């Protein structure tokens, strides 16, 4: 389509929404619908404030600006690349992280619980000294944890050196090098021999049947970070099994399992899982205390 047909962000926004809806794109990486994602991509590409669409809707664009926006919209529509990879930006809560195809796009219901310091399970946030975050990916949760708990040091683990390279960039951006240690490890394998007040993880948990039905956008992400085996619990079993010996006497384990509550209950229900309330309901994140894990 000739670029001369587009002269303003309003023109591009209308075109993008139609293009995205026609392509039946999946919006599960930050935006809820075509309009929101189109507005985000247009504003980001034009280097305009992301929260100020209205003042710029009828601004006249240079031909090269139109071309740049159309190139981004085309990749999103044809290649179905998640918007976060197009902008190298993943937002979680009030945080903004660098992301690329080496890590999954930041998304976590655990992130919603951090601002309240996991109350009431953590009576005094200042007493949290050691936190272990498994499957850290981009480092988003490790950074949020280190930022929230004033006296905590976070050991952030991932098996992927590529993911840890992205996490290192984010840790440095937030100037948390003294509070976050990145460790390449297959879960607990290379973790220091010390006790942790909290073990937090958002591991691969998608079951095999669901993996086969994922929208194309998810296929752009590292599959090792999504695939949890036949029932989604392959890594979760290892995490639960190894947690007791690494937790303090009053420590807790918190695990995000998305839509896999049925499989989690089948695997660990006898331990007495506590399901935490999130914006998506009470079946996304479970908690186990050190006492429960030592039974």
């Amino acid at each position: 389509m000739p670029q001369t047909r587009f002269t303003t962000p309003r023109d591009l926004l209308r075109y993008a929404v139609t293009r995205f809806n026609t392509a039946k794109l999946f919006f599960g990486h930050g935006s809820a619908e075509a309009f929101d994602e189109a507005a985000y991509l247009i504003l980001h590409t034009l280097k305009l404030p992301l929260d100020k669409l209205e003042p710029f809707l009828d601004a006249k664009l240079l031909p090269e600006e139109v071309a740049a926006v159309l190139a981004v919209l085309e990749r999103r529509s044809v290649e179905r690349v998640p918007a976060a990879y197009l902008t190298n930006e993943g937002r979680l809560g009030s945080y903004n992280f660098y992301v690329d195809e080496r890590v999954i796009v930041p998304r976590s219901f655990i992130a919603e619980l951090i601002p309240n310091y996991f109350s009431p399970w953590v009576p005094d946030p200042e007493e949290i000294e050691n936190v272990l975050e498994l499957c850290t990916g981009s480092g988003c949760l490790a950074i949020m944890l280190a930022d929230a708990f004033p006296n905590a040091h976070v050991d952030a683990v991932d098996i992927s050196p590529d993911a840890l390279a992205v996490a290192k960039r984010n840790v440095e951006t937030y100037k948390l090098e003294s509070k976050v240690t990145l460790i390449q490890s297959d879960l607990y394998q290379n973790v220091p021999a010390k006790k942790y007040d909290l073990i937090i993880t958002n591991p691969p948990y998608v079951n095999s049947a669901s993996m086969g039905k994922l929208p194309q956008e998810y296929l752009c992400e590292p599959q090792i970070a999504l695939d949890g085996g036949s029932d989604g619990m392959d890594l979760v079993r290892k995490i639960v099994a190894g947690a007791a010996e690494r937790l303090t006497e009053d420590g807790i384990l918190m695990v995000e399992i998305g839509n896999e509550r049925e499989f989690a209950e089948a695997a660990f229900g006898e331990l007495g899982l506590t399901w935490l309330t999130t914006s998506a309901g009470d079946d996304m994140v479970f908690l186990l205390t050190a006492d429960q894990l030592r039974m």
Side-chain angles (χ1 to χ4, degrees):
M1 182 174 290
Q3 295 170 15
T4 53
R5 296 188 185 183
F6 302 100
T7 59
T8 66
R10 188 185 299 274
D11 295 336
L12 290 165
L13 182 62
R14 199 287 309 159
Y15 169 72
V17 172
T18 299
R19 187 88 169 85
F20 289 178
N21 285 333
T22 301
K24 294 182 169 56
L25 298 185
F26 179 81
F27 306 104
H29 292 101
S31 300
E33 59 181 14
F35 180 90
D36 292 341
E37 186 140 308
Y40 165 67
L41 287 172
I42 291 167
L43 290 169
H44 190 281
T45 304
L46 295 174
K47 297 179 173 58
L48 295 172
L50 298 180
D51 59 347
K52 291 185 174 68
L53 174 63
E54 189 65 32
F56 302 104
L57 274 173
D58 296 309
K60 300 298 183 184
L61 299 177
L62 298 171
E64 56 266 33
E65 291 178 316
V66 173
V69 172
L70 287 176
V72 169
L73 299 180
E74 191 71 5
R75 285 200 70 199
R76 181 69 186 94
S77 301
V78 176
E79 300 175 34
R80 302 180 79 98
V81 177
Y85 292 156
L86 295 172
T87 62
N88 294 125
E89 179 179 81
R91 293 179 174 273
L92 195 57
S94 60
Y95 292 75
N96 186 17
F97 301 102
Y98 172 86
V99 295
D100 59 32
E101 287 85 350
R102 292 175 290 178
V103 295
I104 63 171
V105 178
R107 51 187 183 275
S108 174
F109 293 106
I110 289 175
E112 300 176 4
L113 306 173
I114 295 174
N116 291 324
Y117 309 104
F118 303 134
S119 177
W121 300 99
V122 174
D124 185 355
E126 295 190 1
E127 291 184 357
I128 299 298
E129 296 180 350
N130 290 295
V131 178
L132 176 62
E133 196 234 331
L134 299 172
C135 309
T136 193
S138 62
C140 54
L141 289 182
I143 288 166
M144 296 175 74
L145 290 162
D147 215 16
F149 292 94
N151 300 318
H153 186 89
V154 181
D155 287 335
V157 171
D158 205 286
I159 195 172
S160 166
D162 285 340
L164 290 172
V166 175
K168 181 175 185 291
R169 178 169 178 163
N170 285 318
V171 170
E172 290 173 350
T173 296
Y174 281 94
K175 297 179 169 50
L176 288 169
E177 297 96 322
S178 65
K179 294 198 66 179
V180 178
T181 298
L182 300 173
I183 303 170
Q184 185 180 353
S185 178
D186 184 355
L187 299 180
Y188 300 110
Q189 191 173 71
N190 299 326
V191 169
K194 64 181 180 182
K195 301 290 186 179
Y196 293 93
D197 303 299
L198 302 173
I199 298 177
I200 307 296
T201 184
N202 181 13
Y205 55 67
V206 182
N207 68 71
S208 296
S210 296
M211 282 293 296
K213 300 174 184 175
L214 287 177
Q216 189 173 332
E217 281 82 353
Y218 285 116
L219 301 181
C220 295
E221 297 183 299
Q223 300 302 282
I224 191 176
L226 298 173
D227 191 349
S230 60
D231 65 350
M233 296 296 114
D234 283 4
L235 267 72
V236 182
R237 285 188 180 86
K238 295 177 181 178
I239 291 168
V240 170
E245 64 182 281
R246 291 167 175 85
L247 282 172
T248 60
E249 186 175 338
D250 299 320
I252 60 173
L253 167 69
M254 193 175 301
V255 183
E256 183 164 337
I257 50 83
N259 296 311
E260 309 291 351
R261 176 170 179 166
E262 179 182 352
F263 289 115
E265 287 284 3
F268 316 111
E270 76 281 358
L271 297 176
L273 305 179
T274 297
W275 292 93
L276 306 183
T277 299
T278 71
S279 61
D282 301 335
D283 53 3
M284 299 290 170
V285 179
F286 72 74
L287 178 147
L288 287 165
T289 65
D291 284 342
Q292 288 175 300
L293 289 161
R294 293 180 182 125
M295 288 175 58

